Amino acid sequence: MNKWFYFNSTVLLIAVWQVFHLFPTIPIHIVIGFIGVVFILFNWTRHAVFSTIRNTSDRNRKIRLANMSKKILPFHRWIGTTALFIIIIHAILVIDIYGLYWRNAKYVSGFVTGLILIGMVTTGWMRLLRPTGRKRKAHIYFGLALFFFVTIHVML
Ligand code: HEM
Ligand code: HEM
């Protein structure tokens, strides 16, 4: 297994803990934040799969993984775009409850993560419509930043 599978599973487990330890009274804005995490991590797994394809010497495994990611590709753009809409709803509900809460680390980290997600979805569409090497790099760097900021936001 590629190390990214372990990183991704760890973040998912942290999110599950942060959300479900509130059971049975999990507020809706937190449930929606959790669904956003799941959508983002699903798309980010593409990075784990691509790294595995690059690093494995097993030819059959390479082919199997490449075919699988080809099948997922049509869903990738809609899962990413939907994640953005889900997080906008999360942010609207949060602002409705707490107002603009700039002194709070959770709020600020969420805000930054939201901005990076906008960058991720924008570079994704730019890359799809007119691919270039720079856009590919930008999409990956936004992805790395997104992953780390989601981790911070969920852990705080
Ligand atoms: C990609 C973006 C985001 C993701 C994946 C995300 C995910 C989550 C999750 C799973 C939680 C609940 C877990 C916990 O409380 O530890 C949460 C809570 C929170 N989020 Fe976000 N969020 C994002 C963006 C935002 C944005 C844009 C804001 C603010 C504008 C924000 C503000 C908050 C706040 C204040 C809480 C705490 C709510 C409470 O404890 O009642 N988040 N977020
Ligand atoms: C949460 C949002 C998203 C995440 C985490 C994400 C993540 C990724 C990752 C990790 C890759 C593989 C990078 C590589 O090594 O080349 C990728 C590729 C790509 N993404 Fe995204 N992405 C997101 C949203 C989007 C959106 C909204 C679009 C819109 C069209 C998009 C379009 C693409 C395209 C065209 C590729 C290259 C095709 C391929 O994988 O063969 N992405 N994305």
Side-chain angles (χ1 to χ4, degrees):
M1 280 272 241
N2 185 273
K3 61 178 187 287
W4 280 102
F5 285 109
Y6 294 112
F7 290 158
N8 296 354
S9 319
T10 308
V11 174
L12 185 63
L13 283 178
I14 295 171
V16 167
W17 167 252
Q18 290 282 40
V19 172
F20 288 92
H21 85 276
L22 301 170
F23 189 82
T25 46
I26 313 174
I28 186 73
H29 66 287
I30 290 187
V31 174
I32 291 178
F34 178 75
I35 299 171
V37 171
V38 173
F39 275 52
I40 290 169
L41 286 180
F42 181 89
N43 264 7
W44 182 240
T45 303
R46 201 165 186 84
H47 184 258
V49 174
F50 278 25
S51 303
T52 313
I53 294 176
R54 275 194 295 271
N55 293 326
T56 184
S57 49
D58 179 344
R59 211 179 120 74
N60 284 332
R61 191 155 180 235
K62 263 190 212 291
I63 294 171
R64 200 163 39 82
L65 289 174
N67 283 337
M68 191 181 82
S69 35
K70 219 189 260 170
K71 276 195 202 130
I72 304 278
L73 187 58
F75 303 104
H76 181 85
R77 64 197 73 159
W78 300 118
I79 289 172
T81 310
T82 309
L84 179 59
F85 279 104
I86 291 171
I87 291 305
I88 289 171
I89 295 170
H90 170 72
I92 290 173
L93 291 176
V94 164
I95 292 168
D96 191 43
I97 296 167
Y98 302 103
L100 300 176
Y101 195 18
W102 296 108
R103 280 163 206 269
N104 179 284
K106 190 103 186 162
Y107 181 89
V108 174
S109 63
F111 183 78
V112 175
T113 315
L115 291 181
I116 300 172
L117 181 60
I118 294 174
M120 191 73 200
V121 172
T122 311
T123 50
W125 280 104
M126 284 164 63
R127 184 179 171 177
L128 183 79
L129 299 174
R130 214 184 263 241
T132 64
R134 270 177 70 177
K135 288 177 196 165
R136 170 167 181 266
K137 279 217 178 100
H139 196 57
I140 295 175
Y141 286 136
F142 269 113
L144 285 168
L146 183 64
F147 178 79
F148 288 111
F149 273 86
V150 166
T151 309
I152 291 168
H153 180 60
V154 173
M155 273 172 71
L156 279 174

